[in-house]
């Protein structure tokens, strides 16, 4: 449970986001819709900045990553191949009394005395219910309230004058089987598939079922061949995508943290299998020290690449204003890993409601492309000319060792798919023989981040309140969002000192015009200059530019200069209008 102080922080943040137009509840005029959020004018700018910074860093600033923008609805086979149709579900249960729905693994753990009832009878009509029911009470609480809850349960089953039967008690510890709000028993957990279903075309039948994508990654795998062939990239290389994803979460909560419609920023970075690296380089480099392993090298195996991407992602967060100290690395334990994953690191952020996942970085072996190869019948192997040339030069023991390791890895995958043993053996032997000819299915490292969770993390980290006393001795609270300049929705506020002085207004507008094609500028002439600063502090605008009488030449030495105020320190300095753009540019990165 989050500490109450942290809940107060969330309340303040949610209220600021609404008041200043960062985030609104979707369809608010109709009472809202649970798990859906809209971004207002400031939120839209913030989000756009974050996505653009991710995109630039992951694609444009690198030679080895290219982009993709795929559709949200894809061929339904994609979700069979990926495993989502069969296994993308959460355990769900309902309160037997109120029908409120819970994610079974997220119910608060409770201890106490459980009162079980085998059924009940209506003492007037004689009607009987044999539905068992139970209520959990904290130890020491009188049993009457449990009986009252049980009576309400049987009344819902059509009994009016309820006589409870078969009452027994049981000591319960750390149970998730009862509704924390009323103690009533929950239904047995059952799997609930999180994919939103729809129909393609005019006939709403099973044949036309399609799904809204629950992640952007699968489109990257499905288009792997096209992108590889057209981009002329060689392994290792990556494909990046930013876009909407949809999950019918059982219990959306913590504001935008767990939404039903959200955006992801995903990279699939395709690498050579370790056996190919060893054949080419004579060895496979593995991490020897923690931290960033430096410039990628040809002998890197999957572990080096995985560590590299974990560190690259942390560096990204640092570059946009989330220090390393706000993040935690959680290395999933072997029993938590998906069966195909070799390692997964969750990057956690210390949200006000608890430390929770911001991004996952998984080493997913060659599972994804192998699955699409199997389901589509289209080859997902790449041809590596260098490997083909290197192979005959290896000594025969190494050749057979590498082939055998590759064969066993392929066999492990094929056996898990349920292929008959004989077929799996044959296929694995063929795959191993093809390795020596330069063919393999690429492995993948996947850094997968949520845009909305990152926005929430940036907002929570930026939120500050400062107490001060005004000139009349009144206490004031200054609220500010100390965004890193690169993500700030508005970069510069431009203010004429007074709005009723046409010369000041004209000059301020001129300054705004000179800046607006370079930065997002907000012009404001309403209210006192202090109020205008305060409004921009709340919006997280890092700089404010004021045009005053000195700008117009009242003090000749200050003609054509402006005052720049810095949001976080409140410090002010005088800068020539001619230098303003460069001054800002150097500080807005
Ligand atoms: P969780 O365990 O929190 O449900 P996950 O492990 O299922 O997350 P992934 O499938 O790894 O999440 O998705 C990658 C990223 O997408 C997550 O790290 C998160 O930032 C984002 N994400 C996933 N589900 C949601 C959601 N319902 N709302 C907002 N962002 C989400």
């Amino acid at each position: 449970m989050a500490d109450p102080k942290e809940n107060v922080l969330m309340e303040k943040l949610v209220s600021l986001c609404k008041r200043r137009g960062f985030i609104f509840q979707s369809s608010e005029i109709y009472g809202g819709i649970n798990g859906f959020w809209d971004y207002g004018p400031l939120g839209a700018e913030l989000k756009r900045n974050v996505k653009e910074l991710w995109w630039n860093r992951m694609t444009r600033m690198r030679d080895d990553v290219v982009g993709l923008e795929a559709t949200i609805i894809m061929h339904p086979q994609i979700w069979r191949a990926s495993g989502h149709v069969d296994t993308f579900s959460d355990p769900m249960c309902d309160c037997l009394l109120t029908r409120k729905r819970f994610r079974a693994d997220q119910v608060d753990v409770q201890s106490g005395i459980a009162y079980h009832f085998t059924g009940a009878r209506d003492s007037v009509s004689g009607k009987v219910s044999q539905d068992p029911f139970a209520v959990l009470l904290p130890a020491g609480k009188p049993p009457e309230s449990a009986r009252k809850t049980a009576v309400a349960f049987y009344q819902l089953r059509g009994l009016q004058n309820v006589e409870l039967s078969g009452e027994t008690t049981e000591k319960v510890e750390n149970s998730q089987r009862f509704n924390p709000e009323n103690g009533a028993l929950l239904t047995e957990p059952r799997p609930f598939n999180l994919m939103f279903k729809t129909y393609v075309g005019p006939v709403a039948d099973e044949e036309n079922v399609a799904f809204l994508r629950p992640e952007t990654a699968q489109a990257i795998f499905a288009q792997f061949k096209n992108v590889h062939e057209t981009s002329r990239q060689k392994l290792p290389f990556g494909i990046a995508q930013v876009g909407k994803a949809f999950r019918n979460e059982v219990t959306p909560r913590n504001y935008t943290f767990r939404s039903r419609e959200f955006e992801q920023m995903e990279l699939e970075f395709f690498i050579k299998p370790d056996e190919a690296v060893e054949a080419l380089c004579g060895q496979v480099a593995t991490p020897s020290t923690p931290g960033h392993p430096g410039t990628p090298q040809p002998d890197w195996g999957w572990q080096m690449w995985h560590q590299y991407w974990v560190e690259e992602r942390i560096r990204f967060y640092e570059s946009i204003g989330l220090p390393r100290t706000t993040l935690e690395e959680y290395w999933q334990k072997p029993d938590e890993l998906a069966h195909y994953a070799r390692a997964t690191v969750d990057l956690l952020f210390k949200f006000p409601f608890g430390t929770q996942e911001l991004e996952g970085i998984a080493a997913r072996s060659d599972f994804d492309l192998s699955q699409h190869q199997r389901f589509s019948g289209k080859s997902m192997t790449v041809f590596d000319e260098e490997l083909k040339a290197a192979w005959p030069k290896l000594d025969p023991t190494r050749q057979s060792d590498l082939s055998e390791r590759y064969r066993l890895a392929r066999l492990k995958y094929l056996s898990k798919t349920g292929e008959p043993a004989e077929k799996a053996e044959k296929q694995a032997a063929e795959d191993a023989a093809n390795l020596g000819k330069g063919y393999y299915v690429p492995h993948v490292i996947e850094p997968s981040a949520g845009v909305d969770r990152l926005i929430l993390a940036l907002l929570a980290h930026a939120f500050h309140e400062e107490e001060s006393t005004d000139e009349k001795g009144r206490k004031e609270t200054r609220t500010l969002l100390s965004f890193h300049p690169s993500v700030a929705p508005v970069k510069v506020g431009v203010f004429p000192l007074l709005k009723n002085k046409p010369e000041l207004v004209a000059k301020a507008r001129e300054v705004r015009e000179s800046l607006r094609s370079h930065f997002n500028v907000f012009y404001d002439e309403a209210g006192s200059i202090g109020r205008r600063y305060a409004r921009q502090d709340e919006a997280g605008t890092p700089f404010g530019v004021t045009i005053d009488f000195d700008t117009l030449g009242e003090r000749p030495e200050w003609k054509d200069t402006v005052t720049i105020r810095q949001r976080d320190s409140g410090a002010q300095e005088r800068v020539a209008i001619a230098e303003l753009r460069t001054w800002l540019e150097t500080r807005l990165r």
Side-chain angles (χ1 to χ4, degrees):
M1 283 287 272
D3 145 331
K5 244 187 10 234
E6 288 165 343
N7 286 330
V8 171
L9 170 60
M10 267 319 278
E11 270 169 35
K12 285 183 177 168
L13 190 62
V14 171
S15 136
L16 174 74
C17 284
K18 163 106 204 268
R19 184 157 45 84
R20 292 313 316 269
F22 279 96
I23 300 173
F24 305 126
Q25 203 182 4
S26 163
S27 326
E28 194 188 279
I29 57 166
Y30 291 100
I33 169 166
N34 200 4
F36 296 86
W37 299 93
D38 293 340
Y39 289 82
L42 288 176
E45 291 289 345
L46 175 62
K47 211 171 176 200
R48 191 170 279 257
N49 291 342
V50 163
K51 289 191 283 185
E52 222 166 85
L53 285 160
W54 184 92
W55 185 262
N56 279 342
R57 193 175 173 113
M58 298 297 262
T59 65
R60 294 186 182 159
M61 300 302 287
R62 302 185 62 103
D63 294 332
D64 57 358
V65 178
V66 291
L68 177 73
E69 187 149 335
T71 58
I72 285 169
I73 293 179
M74 295 182 276
H75 196 291
Q77 275 298 86
I78 286 193
W79 306 111
R80 296 202 173 84
S82 68
H84 284 80
V85 169
D86 291 333
T87 59
F88 192 57
S89 57
D90 278 337
M92 178 185 77
C93 56
D94 304 317
C95 172
L96 281 169
L97 188 63
T98 60
R99 304 214 167 279
K100 183 170 171 179
R101 187 148 287 181
F102 292 87
R103 226 178 96 170
D105 56 337
Q106 287 178 351
V107 176
D108 289 342
V109 169
Q110 301 162 86
S111 302
I113 307 293
Y115 290 80
H116 291 272
F117 304 91
T118 52
R121 184 178 162 272
D122 189 320
S123 59
V124 176
S125 70
K127 194 172 165 190
V128 169
S129 165
Q130 289 182 331
D131 293 335
F133 185 63
V135 185
L136 183 74
L137 290 186
K141 224 175 156 197
E144 264 326 301
S145 70
R147 291 180 193 135
K148 223 167 128 191
T149 308
V151 166
F153 168 78
Y154 290 109
Q155 279 172 340
L156 283 176
R157 270 148 189 77
L159 274 58
Q160 274 164 15
N161 306 288
V162 178
E163 260 176 18
L164 298 167
S165 41
E167 180 180 321
T168 52
T169 56
E170 176 201 10
K171 196 162 174 237
V172 166
E173 269 179 45
N174 302 329
S175 170
Q176 291 186 299
R177 297 283 298 115
F178 298 89
N179 181 347
E181 289 153 20
N182 59 11
L185 186 67
L186 301 168
T187 57
E188 284 294 328
R190 56 198 184 281
F192 171 73
N193 194 297
L194 300 184
M195 283 197 294
F196 280 99
K197 255 187 193 179
T198 187
Y199 300 96
V200 173
V203 185
D205 63 13
E206 277 306 301
E207 271 189 22
N208 295 315
V209 164
F211 303 98
L212 303 193
R213 67 181 178 200
E215 59 172 39
T216 62
Q218 292 305 319
I220 298 181
F221 298 126
Q223 289 293 6
F224 168 74
K225 275 283 181 172
N226 276 334
V227 176
H228 182 228
E229 278 159 27
T230 54
S231 63
R232 301 177 60 232
Q233 287 281 348
K234 276 196 195 159
L235 256 59
F237 85 101
I239 306 176
Q241 182 170 216
V242 177
K244 289 269 187 183
F246 302 81
R247 296 183 187 180
N248 198 1
E249 298 280 0
V250 179
T251 46
R253 60 173 167 180
N254 288 331
Y255 200 25
T256 54
F257 178 84
R258 188 171 299 288
S259 307
R260 288 179 165 140
E261 175 174 341
F262 55 99
E263 270 186 282
Q264 290 184 313
M265 305 185 285
E266 295 194 296
L267 168 70
E268 302 304 325
F269 195 79
F270 299 98
I271 56 175
K272 302 175 189 189
D274 278 7
E275 293 80 10
V277 173
E278 191 173 329
L280 285 160
C281 304
Q283 56 159 11
V284 177
T286 51
S288 51
T289 47
H292 198 292
T295 313
Q297 299 298 322
D299 66 352
W300 279 12
W302 71 266
Q303 284 168 297
M304 287 296 269
W305 277 111
H306 186 234
Q307 183 171 337
Y308 170 85
W309 279 112
V310 172
E311 290 295 322
E312 279 290 299
R313 299 299 306 135
I314 293 174
R315 286 186 180 185
F316 169 74
Y317 290 120
E318 287 179 317
S319 76
I320 61 167
L322 293 182
R324 204 173 261 258
T325 48
T326 62
L327 303 169
E328 255 175 44
E329 276 175 48
Y330 177 77
W331 288 74
Q332 289 189 9
K333 304 199 176 68
D335 62 328
E336 294 169 324
L337 288 174
H339 67 86
Y340 46 79
R342 291 175 152 180
T344 298
V345 173
D346 291 337
L347 287 183
L348 314 178
F349 176 77
K350 293 171 190 153
F351 287 98
F353 42 82
T355 301
Q356 305 236 13
E357 179 178 329
L358 185 61
E359 164 158 3
I361 301 137
R364 299 174 59 94
S365 70
D366 56 2
F367 174 77
D368 303 280
L369 288 179
S370 299
Q371 283 289 94
H372 287 297
Q373 175 165 285
R374 214 158 58 78
F375 276 73
S376 68
K378 306 274 176 355
S379 166
M380 290 288 162
T381 55
V382 294
F383 173 57
D384 187 329
E385 194 135 13
E386 288 167 19
L387 175 61
K388 187 181 175 210
W391 192 266
K393 297 180 196 145
L394 296 175
D395 85 57
T397 24
R398 182 165 272 189
Q399 276 182 355
S400 61
D401 172 42
L402 291 174
S403 289
E404 181 56 6
R405 269 160 45 199
Y406 193 69
R407 189 187 72 80
L408 288 173
R410 294 299 296 161
L411 187 60
K412 192 168 157 203
Y413 158 72
L414 290 161
S415 312
K416 283 201 175 132
T417 62
E419 292 281 2
E422 205 177 309
K423 203 169 156 209
E425 288 278 357
K426 190 163 164 258
Q427 183 63 54
E430 233 171 74
D431 292 348
N434 282 335
L435 182 71
K437 296 176 194 152
Y439 292 94
Y440 49 75
V441 178
H443 285 230
V444 74
I445 308 288
E446 177 192 80
S448 167
V451 181
D452 310 77
R453 286 191 189 175
L454 178 49
I455 297 292
L456 188 54
L458 290 168
L459 282 162
H461 184 64
F463 185 89
H464 287 101
E465 282 180 325
E466 281 177 13
E467 295 286 338
S468 62
T469 313
D470 72 6
E471 53 288 1
K472 292 186 186 126
R474 282 181 305 222
K475 282 227 180 304
E476 285 181 328
T477 307
R478 175 166 95 106
T479 306
L480 69 157
L481 289 174
S482 328
F483 288 129
H484 187 277
S486 64
V487 297
V490 177
K491 309 295 185 199
V492 199
V494 176
F495 321 115
L497 185 63
L498 298 170
K499 96 168 180 198
N500 55 4
K501 294 282 176 233
E503 317 87 281
L504 288 178
V505 168
K507 194 71 185 170
R509 291 212 160 125
E510 197 185 304
V511 170
R512 187 260 309 257
E513 285 310 311
S514 73
L515 297 177
R516 77 183 325 174
S517 60
H518 308 285
F519 320 106
N520 193 19
V521 182
F522 186 77
Y523 173 83
D524 190 2
E525 54 181 33
S528 73
I529 194 75
R531 291 274 305 275
R532 281 179 271 166
Y533 285 155
R535 281 201 288 267
Q536 289 311 304
D537 287 345
E538 278 193 344
T541 307
F543 302 108
V545 168
T546 305
I547 285 79
D548 57 18
F549 292 106
D550 287 331
T551 314
L552 303 178
E554 197 168 281
R555 262 184 283 189
E557 68 275 23
W558 279 4
K559 187 166 171 14
D560 286 328
T561 65
V562 291
T563 302
I564 300 188
R565 173 185 173 270
Q566 307 211 15
R567 176 198 60 207
D568 297 343
S569 62
Q572 304 201 357
E573 68 183 279
R574 208 74 203 175
V575 173
I577 293 174
E579 284 159 24
L580 196 52
R581 183 180 145 199
T582 321
W583 190 98
L584 289 165
E585 258 164 9
T586 52
R587 288 161 180 84
L588 282 169
R589 282 191 208 114

